[in-house]
Amino acid sequence: MNVRDLSVRDYSSNIIFITGGTKSGKSEFAEHLAKEVKKLSYIALSESNIDDKEWQEKINLHRKRRPKDWKIIETTDLLNTLSKEDGPLLIDSIGGFVMESIGKENNEWSTKLHSLINLLMKRKSITFIVGEQVGWS
């Protein structure tokens, strides 16, 4: 196949990126956009800090709001999860991936970032990504 035979759709992604400040409704908006998607997996990227009551309340609010038919994956290992999941995804939030990588050597961070980009580019299914906008709140 010649590259001229490809349409834009053949090499474009199915990624929808939702961003905003802290507590701005990003996750809820992403969930609203994704609610009609069948067989969606919801990747919740965060540490479950049981000593942080406010964080636990936020996690519980998110859990209650999600549709029962979504597959929920609570993890801090986005790259491993992305390599295994090929269906529709909602990643909440990419900040968890960044936080997990803070403090890594520049080479290791660069490798992880390139791996993330490669995994996202290969995806055929729709992918919603929630991301924090630093400085907006």
Side-chain angles (χ1 to χ4, degrees), residues 67-131:
K68 300 289 184 233
D69 62 331
W70 286 0
K71 176 182 173 185
I72 307 301
I73 304 166
E74 293 180 343
T75 184
T76 57
D77 190 353
L78 178 59
L79 297 179
N80 186 46
T81 305
L82 274 176
S83 68
K84 295 176 182 176
E85 296 292 323
D86 59 357
L89 293 178
L90 192 159
I91 300 169
D92 190 5
S93 94
I94 199 69
F97 172 78
V98 174
M99 288 301 298
E100 195 267 333
S101 301
I102 284 180
K104 305 273 188 216
E105 293 294 323
N106 196 29
N107 236 6
E108 187 177 356
W109 167 243
S110 181
T111 299
K112 289 183 90 165
L113 185 58
H114 283 90
S115 294
L116 173 64
I117 292 168
N118 286 331
L119 287 165
L120 290 172
M121 288 177 62
K122 291 177 184 175
R123 293 191 47 75
K124 303 288 187 229
S125 298
I126 192 162
T127 304
F128 299 90
I129 302 175
V130 176

Side-chain angles (χ1 to χ4, degrees), residues 12-28:
S12 65
S13 70
N14 295 308
I15 296 174
I16 298 172
F17 190 78
I18 298 97
T19 189
T22 303
K23 298 181 182 178
S24 64
K26 301 176 298 291
S27 297
E28 191 169 5

Side-chain angles (χ1 to χ4, degrees), residues 2-61:
N2 187 318
V3 78
R4 284 179 262 225
D5 296 332
L6 298 174
S7 71
V8 170
R9 182 78 180 133
D10 291 324
Y11 56 89
S12 65
S13 70
N14 295 308
I15 296 174
I16 298 172
F17 190 78
I18 298 97
T19 189
T22 303
K23 298 181 182 178
S24 64
K26 301 176 298 291
S27 297
E28 191 169 5
F29 183 65
E31 292 162 7
H32 170 76
L33 293 176
K35 70 182 175 186
E36 301 298 325
V37 177
K38 304 291 184 220
K39 298 182 179 179
L40 183 109
S41 293
Y42 188 110
I43 302 174
L45 287 175
S46 75
E47 293 283 336
S48 181
N49 184 352
I50 58 172
D51 296 328
D52 186 339
K53 299 299 180 201
E54 186 178 335
W55 187 246
Q56 289 304 311
E57 288 174 15
K58 185 176 180 177
I59 289 173
N60 288 333
L61 176 69

